[in-house]
Amino acid sequence: EPEVTQTPSHQVTQMGQEVILRCVPISNHLYFYWYRQILGQKVEFLVSFYNNEISEKSEIFDDQFSVERPDGSNFTLKIRSTKLEDSAMYFCASSEAPKNIQYFGAGTRLSVL
Amino acid sequence: GQQVMQIPQYQHVQEGEDFTTYCNSSTTLSNIQWYKQRPGGHPVFLIQLVKSGEVKKQKRLTFQFGEAKKNSSLHITATQTTDVGTYFCAVGGGGGKLIFGQGTELSVKP
């Protein structure tokens, strides 16, 4: 069964450093998303992306965050200057259409020290 | 913005007992989705409800969408240890985003 893959599974970084989280969405999907989940809390929407543009973003997705589809398969989330409070699990998801089922990757656990 | 309230936050049951989690919205929903997240895992889609009063079943799981399309429930009959995890409801927003409820963490004592 097709799946969304995310790398790395765990990223440890120092506060103030830049990180790039990578995702390979399901190949025929056109809509891509990033969510984050702070330990023990609910899943929070960050950003949705379609046709090489951001469709929607949350208040969390400030100027420190950016997304990119650098080629035909990868979808990345960059955090420019990480803060302690960015420590969380980051999930990538994809769907065929905006109201369709979203398939989530296994996530990247980001630890900011 | 859109919010969905989910209760209870935790539920501890003995294996074989039933379990129910509820989601409520102050606004009418076009649809509602349910996801399960195993401990240490990622959200996995269970079902989507679209119609008013809709009831769907998956083996021991029964999903309901309220007549007013403002509330939904997930009921598990005769829980098993494999049911352990956090169950989230989620509603769709602009740009395809999902707005998740707080989740109900289910633990099952064998």
Side-chain angles (χ1 to χ4, degrees):
Chain A
E1 183 176 307
E3 59 180 21
V4 175
T5 55
Q6 289 186 243
T7 55
S9 56
H10 190 191
Q11 175 85 53
V12 181
T13 190
Q14 294 289 327
M15 190 170 57
Q17 294 295 306
E18 174 184 287
V19 293
I20 297 177
L21 310 183
R22 302 180 190 280
C23 169
V24 178
I26 294 173
S27 61
N28 64 329
H29 287 184
L30 301 176
Y31 293 80
F32 316 121
Y33 314 87
W34 283 101
Y35 294 85
R36 82 169 185 192
Q37 186 177 34
I38 295 170
L39 186 64
Q41 298 187 21
K42 69 176 181 180
V43 179
E44 298 175 289
F45 169 78
L46 291 178
V47 65
S48 59
F49 191 85
Y50 168 72
N51 200 26
N52 282 320
E53 287 185 349
I54 289 175
S55 305
E56 185 87 12
K57 60 182 181 178
S58 71
E59 292 175 352
I60 304 168
F61 195 88
D62 61 21
D63 292 344
Q64 293 299 313
F65 291 86
S66 62
V67 288
E68 193 179 27
R69 186 141 164 90
D71 53 46
S73 59
N74 289 282
F75 179 52
T76 62
L77 173 69
K78 182 193 290 186
I79 308 175
R80 202 180 342 270
S81 177
T82 50
K83 301 179 234 178
L84 295 175
E85 54 264 37
D86 292 328
S87 295
M89 183 72 92
Y90 288 81
F91 293 108
C92 173
S94 69
S95 65
E96 290 180 341
K99 291 190 177 181
N100 282 27
I101 298 167
Q102 292 187 21
Y103 294 86
F104 285 73
T108 294
R109 178 165 298 286
L110 177 64
S111 300
V112 182
L113 307 177
Chain B
Q2 174 95 62
Q3 283 193 352
V4 58
M5 303 303 294
Q6 188 173 358
I7 56 169
Q9 191 174 356
Y10 302 99
Q11 186 81 58
H12 309 287
V13 300
Q14 194 77 36
E15 189 172 23
E17 292 181 339
D18 292 356
F19 159 79
T20 306
T21 174
Y22 302 89
C23 274
N24 291 286
S25 168
S26 58
T27 59
T28 302
L29 305 170
S30 59
N31 66 75
I32 193 163
Q33 299 180 21
W34 285 92
Y35 287 78
K36 177 182 179 180
Q37 184 177 28
R38 294 184 186 275
H42 59 280
V44 175
F45 174 81
L46 293 176
I47 208 149
Q48 177 170 273
L49 304 172
V50 178
K51 299 177 186 175
S52 168
E54 189 169 16
V55 178
K56 287 189 176 180
K57 292 192 175 187
Q58 290 178 352
K59 296 182 181 177
R60 293 178 294 103
L61 277 60
T62 302
F63 303 85
Q64 290 190 326
F65 202 8
E67 293 289 341
K69 298 181 76 173
K70 289 185 176 183
N71 61 284
S72 181
S73 65
L74 157 60
H75 180 83
I76 302 178
T77 304
T79 53
Q80 300 174 358
T81 54
T82 52
D83 296 324
V84 162
T86 301
Y87 292 84
F88 292 97
C89 61
V91 299
K97 70 181 178 186
L98 287 174
I99 300 159
F100 283 80
Q102 296 283 10
T104 297
E105 183 180 338
L106 172 65
S107 62
V108 180
K109 188 174 181 181

